[in-house]
């Protein structure tokens, strides 16, 4: 009975980590999909190279680079899991809306929305990892979470290219966007805040470790 109870306790952090990884994968799929589908978008909407350059970088980064700290402060005061869930829903919805675009400004505004949503994803995820994993396992957990970057980029190339080749680029945005929206309730069902941001983490030797604030995490991420 004791062994079974121990395994049950271990399953919860691993499940939370798996969900955070899945959300991070969607983060990078939605971030990279415009670049993957740039050629058919430019051809169908008759966009210039300058416009495509603005869509590929500036439109996304304009608010993504500035809103991470406000989202982090909100997550510190409220709920980290809720901020991640709402951010996932927001950026996924705007990804799907991109498939309806009829011109440059439609896509530009949609990419702004994606950037706003994704600004609230990473810092709260790092904070949840510190809540669920003790210091001796935290580096491993963060390395698993970081797999979302190569996995999301690779899946985005494969899925986006396949859908665009067999249907069209609009369908690729719809499929990827609505898949993220459907993930939101599952994420919120399985992932909850374990303790408040003000609570210390007790290490294995009994010492209290001060838990970092999300705003500080966001500043460190922005500085990279």
């Amino acid at each position: 009975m004791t062994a079974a109870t121990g395994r049950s306790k271990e399953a919860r952090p691993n499940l939370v980590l798996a969900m955070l990884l899945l959300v991070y994968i969607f983060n990078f799929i939605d971030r990279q999909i415009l670049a993957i589908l740039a050629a058919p978008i430019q051809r169908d909407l008759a966009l210039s190279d300058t416009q495509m350059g603005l869509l590929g970088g500036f439109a996304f980064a304009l608010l993504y680079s500035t809103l991470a700290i406000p989202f982090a402060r909100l997550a510190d005061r409220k709920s980290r899991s809720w901020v991640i869930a709402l951010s996932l829903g927001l950026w996924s919805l705007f990804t799907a809306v991109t498939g309806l675009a009829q011109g440059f400004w439609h896509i530009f505004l949609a990419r702004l929305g994606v950037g706003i949503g994704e600004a609230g994803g990473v810092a709260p995820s790092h904070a949840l990892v510190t809540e669920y994993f003790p210091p001796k396992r935290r580096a491993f957990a963060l390395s698993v979470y970081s797999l979302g970057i190569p996995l999301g980029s690779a899946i985005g190339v494969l899925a986006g290219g396949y859908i665009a080749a067999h249907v069209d680029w609009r369908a690729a945005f719809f499929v990827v966007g609505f898949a993220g929206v459907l993930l939101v309730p599952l994420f919120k069902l399985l992932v909850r805040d374990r303790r408040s941001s003000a609570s210390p983490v007790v290490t294995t030797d009994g010492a209290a470790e001060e838990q970092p604030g999300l705003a500080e995490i966001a500043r460190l991420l922005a500085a990279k």
Side-chain angles (χ1 to χ4, degrees):
M1 181 66 69
T2 303
T5 302
R7 286 194 296 270
S8 176
K9 289 181 178 178
E10 284 298 316
R12 182 69 184 181
N14 292 335
L15 177 60
V16 169
L17 180 60
M19 293 304 300
L20 292 174
L21 172 60
L22 186 58
V23 170
Y24 203 29
I25 288 173
F26 272 91
N27 183 301
F28 267 83
I29 292 175
D30 292 3
R31 190 180 305 188
Q32 300 292 333
I33 191 169
L34 182 70
I36 297 164
L37 303 173
I41 292 173
Q42 184 174 15
R43 182 179 63 251
D44 289 356
L45 300 182
L47 302 179
S48 67
D49 291 341
T50 300
Q51 289 174 321
M52 290 303 301
L54 290 173
L55 293 176
F58 182 73
F60 174 85
L62 181 63
L63 295 178
Y64 175 81
S65 59
T66 58
L67 290 181
I69 292 175
F71 271 120
R73 290 190 179 278
L74 177 63
D76 271 336
R77 292 184 174 91
K78 302 296 182 181
S79 166
R80 293 160 182 181
S81 59
W82 266 115
V83 169
I84 297 170
L86 292 175
S87 297
L88 170 62
L90 183 63
W91 87 60
S92 298
L93 181 62
F94 275 104
T95 296
V97 168
T98 306
L100 301 173
Q102 299 299 316
F104 169 75
W105 286 109
H106 294 160
I107 298 184
F108 188 90
L109 293 175
R111 293 302 289 176
L112 281 180
V114 173
I116 293 171
E118 294 198 2
V122 177
S125 296
H126 279 241
L128 278 178
V129 169
T130 68
E131 288 184 1
Y132 275 90
F133 290 87
K136 67 179 182 180
R137 293 192 61 204
R138 204 168 290 161
F140 168 77
L142 289 172
S143 68
V144 171
Y145 175 73
S146 296
L147 287 174
I149 299 174
L151 290 176
S153 300
I155 294 172
V157 171
L158 292 173
Y162 180 86
I163 296 171
H166 291 79
V167 189
D168 61 19
W169 63 268
R170 296 182 186 276
F173 281 101
F174 292 147
V175 170
V176 171
F178 285 122
V181 171
L182 292 175
L183 178 61
V184 172
L186 178 62
F187 176 86
K188 196 63 193 75
L189 177 66
L190 297 177
V191 179
R192 295 183 177 88
D193 292 18
R194 172 167 281 186
R195 57 177 64 86
S196 69
S197 60
S199 301
V201 176
V202 179
T203 61
T204 54
D205 60 3
E209 176 193 3
E210 187 71 24
Q211 202 166 352
L214 278 171
E216 181 62 26
I217 294 175
R219 290 190 190 96
L220 293 173
L221 291 172
K224 289 184 178 181

